[in-house]
Amino acid sequence: MGFAGKAFVGVIAAGGVAVGAVMLVPKTGELRESMHRQEAAYPTGSAAKADRKSMPAWLPDGATRVSYLMSTTGGDRLLKASLPDGKLPAGCSEGTPQGAVHLKASWFPGDIPARATARCGLYNVALVGHELYGWQDDEVVIAARKAGQTAD
């Protein structure tokens, strides 16, 4: 094989490596992002609060099937819980959501932000039947702390 043929093979090989590297970038980014997330499930609200200091105090002890996802690098959170009585927890009130959802979980439907009608602490919540879905935005948490508010 002459010089031109070897150069052509070298270009093809280098191109294959470059394409492979480009294909790995999204997976590497997803891996890095997942390293800063902690997800857990609990049978009850009391078990969730006993295990995690970051679990909101307003979550009823009697809530069941609690799912939780948190960022370890800030205050972004997702929460889902079944409420036996189908009512907002004590201390929650009707209100306009503040902030956006920055985390994703298979158990947190994408239409929840549009359905949110209440606030529980710094969480925005939507009550869908007996299911409570909530999220917390790190930027809202930071602003609240600067204003002297607490998370619950």
Side-chain angles (χ1 to χ4, degrees):
M1 185 181 316
F3 177 74
K6 288 180 182 177
F8 179 73
V9 170
V11 168
I12 296 297
V17 170
V19 169
V22 169
M23 293 176 72
L24 287 176
V25 170
K27 292 187 184 287
T28 302
E30 290 171 12
L31 176 62
R32 189 174 341 112
E33 188 173 306
S34 70
M35 290 172 47
H36 297 290
R37 308 284 185 257
Q38 290 183 357
E39 188 167 3
Y42 302 95
T44 65
S46 60
K49 291 189 287 187
D51 186 54
R52 293 208 181 252
K53 291 180 182 181
S54 60
M55 196 63 62
W58 54 261
L59 179 68
D61 289 345
T64 60
R65 296 188 317 264
V66 177
S67 297
Y68 184 68
L69 176 64
M70 65 174 278
S71 169
T72 61
T73 59
D76 291 318
R77 308 280 190 265
L78 294 181
L79 176 68
K80 177 187 176 197
S82 294
L83 305 179
D85 62 3
K87 296 179 183 176
L88 282 175
C92 297
S93 58
E94 298 296 319
T96 304
Q98 297 178 358
V101 176
H102 299 289
L103 301 175
K104 292 181 181 179
S106 61
W107 44 263
F108 195 88
D111 68 341
I112 290 301
R115 299 173 80 175
T117 60
R119 305 253 317 139
C120 297
L122 297 177
Y123 277 76
N124 304 290
V125 299
L127 190 56
V128 181
H130 287 263
E131 301 299 317
L132 178 134
Y133 295 91
W135 84 90
Q136 181 176 274
D137 181 331
D138 184 48
E139 290 181 19
V140 173
V141 172
I142 291 168
R145 285 184 184 146
K146 285 180 180 177
Q149 296 175 339
T150 61
D152 288 322

